Amino acid sequence: MMEFRTQGMNGYAVKYSPFFDSKIAVGAAANFGLVGNGRVYVLNLTPRGILAQQTWDTQDAVYDIAWSEKNENQMIAATGDGSVKLFDVSVPAGPVQQWHEHNREVYAVTWNLQTKDTFASSSWDGTIRVYSPERPQAILTLPTHSCTYSTQYSPHSPAVISSVTSDSHLRIFDLRTPASASNHLVHLIPIHGQPPTQGPSYNPLRPRHPPSEALTHDWNKYRDTVVATAGVDQIIRTFDIRNPRSGPVALLEGHKYAVRRITWSPHLSDTLLSASYDMTCRVWSDGSTMGHPTPQAPGQLPVPGRQLGEMGGHTEFVTGVDWCLFGAEGWCASTAWDERLLVWDVRATMGP
């Protein structure tokens, strides 16, 4: 395990470069993100340990970051003052461009993985905004009408954007559809939706959970209709959007506090990582390689996922985790409020 101290800054997000297996970006904030400055780090993994290549300070907390998929030197940062900032490693002075269109904290940013020419942000102001690095203003606004903690471009389609929100819903937007009154919204999936109380889909054994805030989600890299969500109620759920009304396909339970970040493996179709306020990162299987059917049949109970391993090296809330895209499968990085970035091998935490 390798370690880097973000001295005086509490980690919020970590992302491996999509171009280099030895380069990592970290977004952090002073005073746990409640008040004060933020900082973006670009770090290199070297034989001498983890070394800082570049840092930038911001006037407010940095809650999320995303590498450009088009330029190996650039990344965007989501900040607490409502702005999205574009940084370039070759320009140490500060952001090369910024967009200030949200009127509340920006909590998530995501880069288009397919066309690579746009990115998006989501905010506590109840909107998602889509941008082009070539334009000074956002090119599209998607309303969610609820505090939006996480937004993602689908890795399988350049026109599909998803989000999870404080109202406990997973929203799927398809920009290929007419805007009309729906604003490109094609699915509104209740994450904690109550099961039917009568009729053919009624099942008295189906788990019931009261609605709570959804904080994070991610698209499966191999199955283009599968999305995982998690949040305050500590449960990770997977959904198949081919049958959005059937409820979760799998439930992954084990965290003791809210789940702050989840990410599917880029190497294995059934495996995902989670980071939680219980100070652990955990690796899971959703059971899909065991022959469980998807999408969920009406009335069928969700599959219980299986925890494969746990990393307890952090001593504060773990707020960010990401997989390395290259090399031997299993390497990842995590960051937490303990002012530490850890780089570790998931396989070392897994049992037989």
Side-chain angles (χ1 to χ4, degrees), residues 59-236:
Q59 291 184 345
D60 213 315
V62 176
Y63 292 126
D64 198 19
I65 48 175
W67 286 94
S68 167
E69 295 287 330
K70 196 172 185 179
N71 186 323
E72 65 189 38
N73 291 319
Q74 293 185 345
M75 73 203 67
I76 48 175
T79 64
D81 64 1
S83 69
V84 177
K85 303 181 189 299
L86 177 68
F87 294 96
D88 192 301
V89 175
S90 63
V91 183
V96 295
Q97 193 168 348
Q98 54 186 321
W99 298 260
H100 200 145
E101 305 207 14
H102 291 288
N103 55 39
R104 291 289 305 278
E105 290 86 340
V106 183
Y107 221 59
V109 284
T110 177
W111 206 284
N112 193 318
L113 300 172
Q114 292 287 322
T115 59
K116 305 182 179 183
D117 57 352
T118 59
F119 61 90
S121 64
S122 64
S123 167
W124 293 3
D125 66 7
T127 66
I128 298 168
R129 311 239 176 191
V130 179
Y131 312 82
S132 165
E134 311 300 325
R135 299 178 63 172
Q137 296 177 326
I139 58 180
L140 182 65
T141 299
L142 302 171
T144 64
H145 309 293
S146 188
C147 179
T148 308
Y149 289 110
S150 174
T151 189
Q152 292 280 342
Y153 269 102
S154 166
H156 309 283
S157 171
V160 175
I161 299 175
S162 57
S163 70
V164 294
T165 50
S166 61
D167 67 357
S168 182
H169 281 81
L170 167 65
R171 288 171 170 82
I172 310 291
F173 300 89
D174 191 332
L175 305 186
R176 296 167 296 189
T177 63
S180 64
S182 67
N183 291 290
H184 305 289
L185 182 69
V186 293
H187 292 302
L188 180 63
I189 302 172
I191 294 170
H192 300 80
Q194 295 297 328
T197 56
Q198 58 184 353
S201 297
Y202 172 66
N203 188 326
L205 300 178
R206 193 178 184 91
R208 296 170 179 263
H209 303 102
S212 64
E213 292 188 312
L215 303 177
T216 180
H217 76 298
D218 194 35
W219 289 84
N220 189 282
K221 309 302 189 293
Y222 294 90
R223 294 173 285 154
D224 61 1
T225 61
V226 175
V227 182
T229 70
V232 171
D233 75 348
Q234 311 158 29
I235 302 172
I236 302 168

Side-chain angles (χ1 to χ4, degrees), residues 238-255:
T238 68
F239 293 87
D240 194 308
I241 63 173
R242 290 174 294 179
N243 196 357
R245 296 184 180 180
S246 63
V249 177
L251 297 180
L252 285 58
E253 300 182 73
H255 278 297

